[in-house]
Amino acid sequence: MIQKKNIAVLGMMCASCSANVERKLNSLDGISSATVSLPTRTVLVEYDDATISLEQMKEAIDGIGYDMVIEEDRNVEAIEHRAYITLRRKVLLSWFFALLVMSLSMGWFGLSSYHDDVRNQTALIIALLNLFYCGRQFYVSAWRQLLHRSANMDTLVALRTGISFLFSTFNTFWGEAFWGARGIENHTYFDASVMIITFVLTGRLLEERAKHSTASAIRSLMSLQPKTAHAVVDGSPVDIPISAVQKGDILEVRPGEKIPVDGTACDGSAVAKTVAKIDESMMTGEAAPVEKQKGDRLLAGTIVKEGSLSMRAEAVGKQTVLANMIRMVQEAQGSKAPVQRTVDRIALIFVPAVVGLSLLTFALWFIIGGQEQLPQAILSAISVLVIACPCAMGLATPTALMVGIGKAAQKNILIKDATALEQLHRVDAMVVDKTGTITRPSLESDGIETLSPHASEVMATLQQQGIEVHMMSGDREERVAPIAREAGISHYMSQVLPQDKENLVKQLQQEGHTVAMVGDGINDSQALATADVSIAMGKGTDVAMDVAQVTLMANDLRRIPEAIVLSRKTVGMIHQNLFWAFIYNMVCIPLAAGLPYLFGLQWQITPMLASALMAFSSVSVVLNSLRLAGTAGLQASP
């Protein structure tokens, strides 16, 4: 049976890591697709459980140096929190070691009076402590990658620090004899090896803090889930864990409490009445409390504002609407936009390419300058290894998508996958259903429809955004035409069948348009499935919402132009991130290799400066994406 599961994978630190995990899983029999999200450190796997088990996947991923969490009793948040505390401790200690080594190498605090051998040997001991405790993870990871003929960011860090440490150790004990005999000045770079680890760890700590902010949408949705419920047992309420609630249980909900599971209002005791006012704004976006009576549907996470009620549980655990919302947002944040596929392919070859460039840099310096330039050749090669950063490229797209999809969820716009969010900004034609989308039935009206709130305003806004709107309806011409005029829609068709809606979508696509379809009924499902972007109204049929890539939880048409604006801002953010990530590497790698020397400039990027720039590049991409989360509004504009 085909299963789809979102699984945490710990230990991924860069784009090369996520690409390695994804490649490994996709190579296994029984897995039809595996998509890794670096910011969330999860993988969305679609697999046949008759062919491959979760345990087999875990064994494969653990074998290449990562940790796939499939055990129910392992709390991923607790594990990540402990890892964060350990990382913070290592960062503080590494900075302490770095300051000590810098003091020795620079002769601060009167240390210049000590003999060079004493200072170098003391720096060696401090650097060794730093490598073994603070930087041990880089060498363990690099070794595991090597055993599996792979490489990642840790490989570069291990090479950078290892080469600079070994070179400095050689110079400490044998440098004077070896270089002095050749008339070459002798230098050590223990400070560089320590500072590289310090800056990389600091960058990761800042990334972790920033990534925590990108997951705010998921945390806010999860906070809506109550922890306990009042179950009615033998006529009296008893508090039980939410996990113990079963379908068919009778529950009581009191004023100010959250409804624990999905169900229906039912007859209750003298305390729990059958009439109450419920705040459903977190699910529907409608601010006014809704009055609920016997037989009315109740949703988990909504809040009882007035009165108490009894309810019969109908959907519990992972079956509630709220749980499905959380799952959809998690899967969407873990999905990949088409542009990310290109970045992933680059990430797979990035580390080997950088190692090759480093070796080339060393060879050119040595060929041009001979033995006299050997220290410069080593220094330049290390600088190239240090400054190259696949992390910024790997984080450029997923962090922006995470924030964008999370922002949409806060606006009651559920986006199922990253492709939909990226495609929305290209939409220039939109097909909309009439009944239930543009219109709604009038009360005791005999079938007469009135225009949905804000319909004409939204249609005008969409056209200002450059989107050509087409209205389709199976209704009669005399009922469709007035609605089209009132809504300000010039392109409309009446008495159409479901196939006609699909045909219009295909026709617009053949004319070169990127088409969005908006509908709410079973008769819209064909067109929704055919469109480039499909949008369903939240109060529509389950079939329409299953097919659609975007669901408007509230029947508020204003969410459509807001979703398009959000898409444009998110895609713009992705392009910014990718531009700076690529420019960073294109500019900094030649500078680290010593290109300025060809033009007579006695300057280049040192390993210490390179490590600081590398750490800053990754952090800046994440912080830039977080600007989207701070957007005050998503008012549509042309």
Side-chain angles (χ1 to χ4, degrees), residues 214 333 398-408 566 570 625-626 628-629:
T214 65
Q333 289 185 330
T399 51
L401 288 172
M402 273 192 69
V403 175
I405 291 168
K407 185 77 174 178
L566 178 61
T570 303
S625 297
L626 286 174
L628 189 62

Side-chain angles (χ1 to χ4, degrees), residues 393-431:
M393 290 187 294
L395 292 168
T397 300
T399 51
L401 288 172
M402 273 192 69
V403 175
I405 291 168
K407 185 77 174 178
Q410 292 172 356
K411 303 286 289 185
N412 293 301
I413 304 167
L414 289 185
I415 298 175
K416 285 187 180 179
D417 57 59
T419 301
L421 186 62
E422 186 179 0
Q423 282 284 80
L424 263 173
H425 90 284
R426 296 193 179 97
V427 168
D428 58 2
M430 185 174 292
V431 178

Side-chain angles (χ1 to χ4, degrees), residues 279-436:
D279 178 3
E280 295 185 332
S281 58
M282 68 287 297
M283 304 294 286
T284 66
E286 297 175 6
V290 180
E291 187 174 280
K292 298 288 185 177
Q293 299 184 5
K294 180 182 177 181
D296 286 343
R297 188 186 187 197
L298 303 172
L299 298 176
T302 58
I303 302 170
V304 178
K305 301 299 288 186
E306 295 181 20
S308 300
L309 57 82
S310 289
M311 64 175 292
R312 178 176 287 104
E314 293 181 349
V316 300
K318 295 180 180 180
Q319 305 304 314
T320 66
V321 171
L322 178 59
N324 283 325
M325 284 177 62
I326 294 171
R327 177 185 54 78
M328 285 174 60
V329 174
Q330 285 177 324
E331 290 183 359
Q333 289 185 330
S335 63
K336 292 189 177 180
V339 67
Q340 181 64 21
R341 303 289 179 184
T342 303
V343 175
D344 288 346
R345 286 194 290 270
I346 294 172
L348 281 173
I349 63 171
F350 187 88
V351 173
V354 169
V355 173
L357 284 173
S358 177
L359 292 173
L360 179 63
T361 298
F362 174 85
L364 289 175
W365 271 103
F366 189 73
I367 291 170
I368 294 170
Q371 284 192 354
E372 290 187 1
Q373 293 298 332
L374 183 57
Q376 179 65 45
I378 293 174
L379 186 67
S380 299
I382 292 172
S383 295
V384 170
L385 286 173
V386 171
I387 206 159
C389 182
C391 296
M393 290 187 294
L395 292 168
T397 300
T399 51
L401 288 172
M402 273 192 69
V403 175
I405 291 168
K407 185 77 174 178
Q410 292 172 356
K411 303 286 289 185
N412 293 301
I413 304 167
L414 289 185
I415 298 175
K416 285 187 180 179
D417 57 59
T419 301
L421 186 62
E422 186 179 0
Q423 282 284 80
L424 263 173
H425 90 284
R426 296 193 179 97
V427 168
D428 58 2
M430 185 174 292
V431 178
V432 296
D433 175 53
K434 176 180 74 72
T435 306

Side-chain angles (χ1 to χ4, degrees), residues 555-596:
N555 271 25
D556 188 344
L557 290 172
R558 290 176 297 179
R559 300 296 183 235
I560 297 174
E562 285 181 353
I564 291 169
V565 171
L566 178 61
S567 171
R568 292 177 178 177
K569 289 186 176 181
T570 303
V571 171
M573 192 70 71
I574 290 172
H575 291 163
Q576 286 179 28
N577 288 346
L578 287 174
F579 173 80
W580 288 114
F582 279 106
I583 286 296
Y584 162 83
N585 282 290
M586 290 175 62
V587 171
C588 290
I589 289 177
L591 292 178
L595 185 64

Side-chain angles (χ1 to χ4, degrees), residues 370-628:
Q371 284 192 354
E372 290 187 1
Q373 293 298 332
L374 183 57
Q376 179 65 45
I378 293 174
L379 186 67
S380 299
I382 292 172
S383 295
V384 170
L385 286 173
V386 171
I387 206 159
C389 182
C391 296
M393 290 187 294
L395 292 168
T397 300
T399 51
L401 288 172
M402 273 192 69
V403 175
I405 291 168
K407 185 77 174 178
Q410 292 172 356
K411 303 286 289 185
N412 293 301
I413 304 167
L414 289 185
I415 298 175
K416 285 187 180 179
D417 57 59
T419 301
L421 186 62
E422 186 179 0
Q423 282 284 80
L424 263 173
H425 90 284
R426 296 193 179 97
V427 168
D428 58 2
M430 185 174 292
V431 178
V432 296
D433 175 53
K434 176 180 74 72
T435 306
T437 303
I438 298 295
T439 66
R440 63 181 183 181
S442 296
L443 297 178
E444 286 80 44
S445 63
D446 195 24
I448 297 175
E449 296 171 309
T450 62
L451 205 62
S452 294
H454 312 291
S456 57
E457 167 196 337
V458 169
M459 295 305 114
T461 301
L462 290 171
Q463 292 174 59
Q464 288 172 355
Q465 290 178 320
I467 298 172
E468 184 180 283
V469 181
H470 298 255
M471 187 176 78
M472 304 283 283
S473 176
D475 211 344
R476 302 188 303 273
E477 172 72 16
E478 59 267 25
R479 297 181 64 172
V480 174
I483 293 294
R485 284 194 298 271
E486 190 177 354
I489 300 173
S490 55
H491 304 284
Y492 68 90
M493 292 178 65
S494 59
Q495 295 179 301
V496 298
L497 298 173
Q499 185 62 49
D500 298 321
K501 295 181 181 181
E502 181 184 356
N503 290 340
L504 176 60
V505 171
K506 289 180 178 178
Q507 178 187 327
L508 291 170
Q509 289 171 330
Q510 290 169 359
E511 293 172 2
H513 293 286
T514 300
V515 184
M517 171 68 196
V518 186
D520 73 328
I522 294 175
N523 61 339
D524 300 318
S525 58
Q526 288 178 242
L528 286 167
T530 305
D532 297 291
V533 181
S534 47
I535 304 172
M537 308 303 288
K539 293 185 178 177
T541 64
D542 290 340
V543 173
M545 287 188 283
D546 285 343
V547 172
Q549 297 165 296
V550 180
T551 300
L552 309 181
M553 291 306 292
N555 271 25
D556 188 344
L557 290 172
R558 290 176 297 179
R559 300 296 183 235
I560 297 174
E562 285 181 353
I564 291 169
V565 171
L566 178 61
S567 171
R568 292 177 178 177
K569 289 186 176 181
T570 303
V571 171
M573 192 70 71
I574 290 172
H575 291 163
Q576 286 179 28
N577 288 346
L578 287 174
F579 173 80
W580 288 114
F582 279 106
I583 286 296
Y584 162 83
N585 282 290
M586 290 175 62
V587 171
C588 290
I589 289 177
L591 292 178
L595 185 64
Y597 281 89
L598 295 178
F599 302 96
L601 300 175
Q602 299 297 309
W603 179 87
Q604 76 174 107
I605 294 177
T606 64
M608 281 186 290
L609 177 59
S611 59
L613 289 172
M614 185 274 298
F616 175 75
S617 67
S618 298
V619 176
S620 63
V621 164
V622 179
L623 294 178
N624 189 46
S625 297
L626 286 174
R627 291 195 300 113
L628 189 62

